[in-house]
């Protein structure tokens, strides 16, 4: 196992392969294990750095109490990890919160990003009060759209820790939404590298209209829809997504 940071704040990452660096980041509560198929398709031609987001997977702290500034805080931590690894430039690839971090990292340090590829990320948060209530009570009374996530968290972290994580996360997201919902949307014009933003037709968190808007705001942005997909297209469209990622990175 490979770690970055001090006890209580350590980040878990895996660093394999050779070639241009590709940073891969799973979603909130997820693990790099979830993206094994994506990683395996890249290690033959790239240096793949797969990172568990702070508070998720094997990264600490756990259970994490999320601040309303956590997106920016985490982007800075992830960029400092690249400093530690002496990675001057990299492709940034991420799902959901990992995708939001990829976009934000590219906006904060444009010269560092060779390209950005995300799925289930839109540069901003738009969520209904019902969805936020569902997240706050995720482990005890999950709404239909969140039952799969609730089961995953309970199995991965245990019910008590997952309950703390989800409640804190919901509060942080509510604060972000109350402040306008911006993560990287206001910085989109500063993302100078090629960017491919993917979402599923029926993604309840990042609907096509929202993702397309972000892609169009990025000077070299491209939008792509996974037909019939939801949020977790690395599960429902795994083969298609893996080949799309490999082809994109090989071309950029």
């Amino acid at each position: 196992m490979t770690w970055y940071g001090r006890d209580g704040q350590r980040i878990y990452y895996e660093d394999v392969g050779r070639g241009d660096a590709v940073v891969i980041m799973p979603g909130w509560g997820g693990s790099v294990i979830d993206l094994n198929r994506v990683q395996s398709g890249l290690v033959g031609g790239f240096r793949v750095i797969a990172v568990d987001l702070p508070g998720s997977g094997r990264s600490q702290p756990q259970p994490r109490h999320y601040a309303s500034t956590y997106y920016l805080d985490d982007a800075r931590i992830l960029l400092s990890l690249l400093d530690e690894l002496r990675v001057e430039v990299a492709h940034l690839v991420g799902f959901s919160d990992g995708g939001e971090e990829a976009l934000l990292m590219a906006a904060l340090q444009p010269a560092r990003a060779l390209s950005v590829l995300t799925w289930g990320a839109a540069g901003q948060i738009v969520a209904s009060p019902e969805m936020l209530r569902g997240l706050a009570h995720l482990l005890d009374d999950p709404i239909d759209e969140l039952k799969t996530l609730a089961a995953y968290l309970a199995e991965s972290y245990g019910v008590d820790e997952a309950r703390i994580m989800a409640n804190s996360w919901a509060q942080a997201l509510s604060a972000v939404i109350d402040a306008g919902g911006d993560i990287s949307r206001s910085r989109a014009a500063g993302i100078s590298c090629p960017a491919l933003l993917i979402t599923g037709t029926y993604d309840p968190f990042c609907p096509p209209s929202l993702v397309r808007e972000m892609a169009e705001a990025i000077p070299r942005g491209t939008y792509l829809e996974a037909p019939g997909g939801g949020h977790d297209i690395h599960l429902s469209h795994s083969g298609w997504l893996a080949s799309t990622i490999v082809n994109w990175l090989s071309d950029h």
Side-chain angles (χ1 to χ4, degrees):
M1 292 187 180
T2 313
W3 303 90
Y4 167 71
R6 63 185 187 278
D7 286 347
Q9 299 288 333
R10 295 194 303 169
I11 304 301
Y12 175 80
Y13 69 95
E14 299 174 355
D15 187 354
V16 296
R18 299 180 65 181
D20 288 343
V22 180
V23 181
I24 296 180
M25 296 167 283
W28 176 84
S31 163
V32 295
I33 297 171
D34 303 336
L35 304 182
N36 275 346
R37 183 160 186 175
V38 174
Q39 293 184 59
S40 63
L42 294 173
V43 292
F46 297 91
R47 176 185 178 185
V48 180
I49 302 167
V51 187
D52 284 343
L53 299 181
S56 294
R58 280 166 278 191
S59 290
Q60 298 174 356
Q62 291 192 14
R64 182 179 181 184
H65 295 270
Y66 288 82
S68 60
T69 57
Y70 87 90
Y71 282 110
L72 187 58
D73 297 339
D74 290 0
R76 289 171 173 158
I77 290 171
L78 293 164
L79 288 168
S80 70
L81 168 61
L82 297 187
D83 289 337
E84 178 73 12
L85 297 176
R86 299 182 180 180
V87 175
E88 295 184 0
V89 292
H91 299 282
L92 305 174
V93 177
F95 161 60
S96 196
D97 262 17
E100 302 294 2
E101 296 297 349
L103 290 166
L104 189 50
M105 291 164 69
L108 290 171
Q109 294 188 8
R112 185 156 232 165
L114 290 170
S115 75
V116 175
L117 188 151
T118 69
W119 65 102
Q124 57 185 311
I125 299 175
V126 176
S128 67
E130 179 188 9
M131 184 66 73
L132 291 173
R133 284 194 298 271
L135 289 172
H137 303 284
L138 183 59
L139 275 295
D140 300 302
D141 188 23
I143 60 177
D144 288 344
E145 297 94 325
L146 298 173
K147 286 182 178 178
T148 299
L149 176 60
Y152 175 92
L153 293 174
E155 181 179 355
S156 299
Y157 301 95
V159 172
D160 291 340
E161 288 204 3
R163 182 183 292 115
I164 294 170
M165 289 172 59
N167 182 263
S168 176
W169 188 50
Q171 292 182 42
L173 293 181
S174 294
V176 173
I177 291 172
D178 289 345
D182 181 59
I183 303 174
S184 62
R185 177 63 181 82
S186 63
R187 304 173 189 255
I191 299 175
S192 57
C193 66
L196 176 61
L197 278 63
I198 306 171
T199 198
T201 305
Y202 304 112
D203 189 328
F205 308 108
C206 297
S209 59
L210 199 65
V211 178
R212 185 188 295 275
E213 177 185 314
M214 180 63 177
E216 291 176 349
I218 297 171
R220 301 169 69 188
T222 301
Y223 168 79
L224 182 62
E225 187 171 316
H231 193 57
D232 301 334
I233 61 172
H234 58 285
L235 301 178
S236 63
H237 294 59
S238 58
W240 174 85
L241 180 65
S243 63
T244 298
I245 292 173
V246 171
N247 291 339
W248 169 268
L249 296 180
S250 297
D251 290 342
H252 296 85

